[in-house]
Amino acid sequence: MTASGLPRQFALIMQELLPDGAPPAGIAVAVSGGSDSMALALLSAQWTAKSGIPLFALSVDHGLRPTSGAEADRVLHWLTARGIETQILKWDGPYPKTGIQEAARDARYRLMQDYCARHGIGALLLGHQLEDQLETMLMRLSKGSGLEGLTAMQMKSRLEELSLLRPLLSLRREVLRNFLRAEKQDWIDDPSNENPVFTRTRVGAVLTELAQLPGSNLDSIALSLSRLQRASHSLDILAYQKIRESCEISRFGFIRLPRAALDGCPDELALRVLNALIRCVGGGQRIRLQALEQLYNRLFQEKTEKSATLAGAQVQASGPDWLACREPGRAGLPETEVAPGEGGWIWDNRFLITDNTPEQLLPEPLRLAALGEDGGRQIRDHADESFMSQLPAKVRHSLPALWSGEEVVAAPLLMTGKSEHFPLNHRFSMEFRAFYWIPGSNS
């Protein structure tokens, strides 16, 4: 790949990542000032200029080095001079004594995610490239990751409602730097990248040594990664086929898995089925493989327990099935203010709530929160009995409802149509999103 051919290659990659076009509000690009992110910003600017797509650059001043503020200002100057609207986001800590790189990374994502949410931006471009991808694979290998972990980063993933796109994953850093040189654009070298204290620096040195082994180079290592990804993707397809064939996916946010469904199922496939079920009903939290393996062993192999909780979900024996649902009594279920005219909200990463008449102002401010025991008592005499009777109390209590102060005003999953006691109920609809966090999922 030459520098001159890179913009065309980038356009083809973006077309593949966004087959339905960019989000209406445009896209954002994360720019640290390093060569990878600067190349991404310039390539994105050229592509969006031709496509008519709004582009916003986000640079985070993490405050970890005395020069971080000046570096953020330099990025702002570079990008503004090229006509790219740029915003500096500041992280003020607190700074932990250990794991500082991980904390800084989490803070960057949180700041950029919040900015995108406030401005209606649905996609964030990240500058990870081939060497980053291979280093991630080696880091995970050193920590005992399974096949899914070894597949490293994906070109398309999600952070709650935000699409994370990594269009440079197949490109080498030197190609990106040659592009910047051709564009006469400088970049900032992060001194922490050379600091042997940090894990990624050490892994980068290991990768360099591996690439120098006889018959080895970065391309051959990348080929191994590609084959791992192919195997992992195949297992994912089999897992979701198993779920579709075997499970009852309820619109009330729970899933039933027949007890015999995983009998004779290879462990890796069974773990993926279980992981998907827990993420669906638990709000999409990521699950550590070791914790998942322990739960699988206790419930499905050793059969020493009939109930377990993990990542906000509970899996419990229920007659001939396993019932997977939101963990009962789970603290911290979200509360969201319902603003007039917005039209739709995501609650607990599980339910899409839609205002069917958003053009009509709400008569009063509302909040979106769990129904809970109190809400269940309020609607008991007005809810559809056929719904109420089939739902365990722990499922009912973790369903969303709309509240005005301390009173429930709508619970469309449990009440149908208009009601003189709940005049706003017909205005809203609620839908369980199930596999929303899987790129390309139709659920």
Side-chain angles (χ1 to χ4, degrees):
M1 170 65 62
T2 63
S4 60
L6 190 54
R8 176 173 171 76
Q9 178 67 16
F10 182 82
L12 293 173
I13 293 172
M14 291 304 300
Q15 184 177 352
E16 189 174 324
L17 288 175
L18 294 171
D20 299 324
I27 59 177
V29 55
V31 188
S32 66
S35 59
D36 306 335
S37 65
M38 285 301 300
L40 177 62
L42 269 58
L43 288 166
S44 301
Q46 293 179 15
W47 174 69
T48 54
K50 293 179 180 178
S51 309
I53 299 168
L55 177 68
F56 306 88
L58 304 178
S59 184
V60 176
D61 175 7
H62 48 64
L64 294 177
R65 299 192 306 275
T67 59
S68 65
E71 290 169 357
D73 288 339
R74 195 183 317 170
V75 170
L76 176 66
H77 172 74
W78 282 338
L79 297 184
T80 302
R82 291 181 176 268
I84 303 173
E85 184 173 341
T86 305
Q87 179 70 41
I88 297 177
L89 309 175
K90 292 190 177 183
W91 181 39
D92 297 322
Y95 304 119
K97 294 182 179 180
T98 60
I100 187 64
Q101 282 198 321
E102 291 81 1
R105 179 198 61 215
D106 292 344
R108 286 196 300 272
Y109 277 108
R110 185 176 64 253
L111 287 167
M112 291 188 292
Q113 179 188 15
D114 290 347
Y115 181 92
C116 290
R118 290 196 307 272
H119 294 83
I121 297 170
L124 175 65
L125 304 185
L126 302 171
H128 301 111
Q129 37 70 31
L130 181 61
E131 283 94 328
D132 292 326
Q133 178 78 311
L134 299 180
E135 288 169 6
T136 299
M137 179 183 71
L138 292 177
M139 286 175 65
R140 293 180 179 178
L141 178 66
S142 71
K143 295 178 181 179
S145 288
L147 177 60
E148 187 175 17
L150 292 179
T151 59
M153 295 176 280
Q154 303 299 315
M155 292 190 77
K156 190 171 185 178
S157 60
R158 296 185 76 94
L159 180 60
E160 296 181 1
E161 294 312 298
L162 184 63
S163 290
L164 303 180
L165 307 179
R166 299 177 175 89
L168 307 182
L169 275 185
S170 62
L171 302 173
R172 297 178 64 165
R173 173 169 287 137
E174 192 57 30
V175 171
L176 301 175
R177 290 186 171 181
N178 286 338
F179 168 74
L180 289 177
R181 294 181 184 110
E183 292 287 321
K184 295 181 171 49
Q185 175 60 59
D186 201 358
W187 63 84
I188 299 168
D189 286 316
D190 185 347
S192 65
N193 290 335
E194 306 300 326
N195 191 336
V197 169
F198 297 126
T199 301
R200 186 169 287 276
T201 302
R202 296 181 178 181
V203 170
V206 172
L207 179 63
T208 300
E209 291 295 323
L210 280 176
Q212 294 175 0
L213 291 174
S216 177
N217 54 44
L218 287 182
D219 291 334
S220 63
I221 299 172
L223 179 59
S224 293
L225 174 58
S226 176
R227 288 167 172 166
L228 288 173
Q229 290 174 332
R230 183 178 64 197
S232 183
H233 180 63
S234 299
L235 284 168
D236 281 338
I237 291 174
L238 292 174
Y240 291 106
Q241 286 177 348
K242 187 77 171 176
I243 291 171
R244 296 297 186 189
E245 292 168 358
S246 305
C247 293
E248 171 199 341
I249 302 174
S250 171
R251 68 190 187 93
F252 297 104
F254 67 87
I255 299 176
R256 289 189 180 275
L257 172 73
R259 287 213 198 187
L262 299 185
D263 289 351
C265 191
D267 288 346
E268 182 65 24
L269 183 57
L271 285 166
R272 287 177 187 245
V273 170
L274 188 59
N275 178 73
L277 298 185
I278 291 174
R279 290 194 70 180
C280 286
V281 302
Q285 301 178 39
R286 291 195 174 275
I287 304 169
R288 295 181 64 86
L289 178 58
Q290 183 178 12
L292 184 68
E293 289 171 334
Q294 291 172 347
L295 183 145
Y296 173 64
N297 289 336
R298 296 198 310 269
L299 295 184
F300 293 87
Q301 291 192 313
E302 300 166 358
K303 300 182 179 180
T304 56
E305 298 180 19
K306 294 185 177 180
S307 178
T309 58
L310 179 64
Q314 181 182 57
V315 181
Q316 180 179 22
S318 175
D321 302 322
W322 290 100
L323 173 68
C325 65
R326 197 71 161 98
E327 183 181 346
R330 179 71 176 177
L333 284 175
E335 294 192 8
T336 304
E337 182 178 340
V338 174
E342 287 187 354
W345 307 268
I346 302 297
W347 185 77
D348 196 33
N349 286 332
R350 294 184 295 142
F351 288 93
L352 171 65
I353 291 84
T354 303
D355 184 349
N356 299 318
T357 56
E359 68 281 356
Q360 300 177 16
L361 291 181
L362 290 167
E364 56 190 327
L366 302 179
R367 62 185 174 92
L368 183 58
L371 181 68
E373 293 185 30
D374 183 35
R377 285 191 293 268
Q378 292 185 38
I379 70 168
R380 182 169 48 205
D381 296 334
H382 309 280
D384 189 312
E385 181 58 31
S386 64
F387 295 161
M388 297 291 279
S389 61
Q390 67 175 291
L391 295 178
K394 60 188 175 186
V395 171
R396 293 198 305 270
H397 295 162
S398 67
L399 294 177
L402 286 145
W403 295 74
S404 175
E406 299 303 314
E407 294 185 1
V408 175
V409 297
L413 284 167
L414 298 172
M415 297 187 292
T416 57
K418 275 191 175 183
S419 165
E420 60 178 320
H421 299 281
F422 301 91
L424 294 179
N425 190 70
H426 71 287
R427 177 168 175 165
F428 298 93
S429 59
M430 298 181 178
E431 177 185 0
F432 180 41
R433 304 170 68 219
F435 302 105
Y436 78 94
W437 39 271
I438 303 169
S441 170
N442 294 321
S443 298

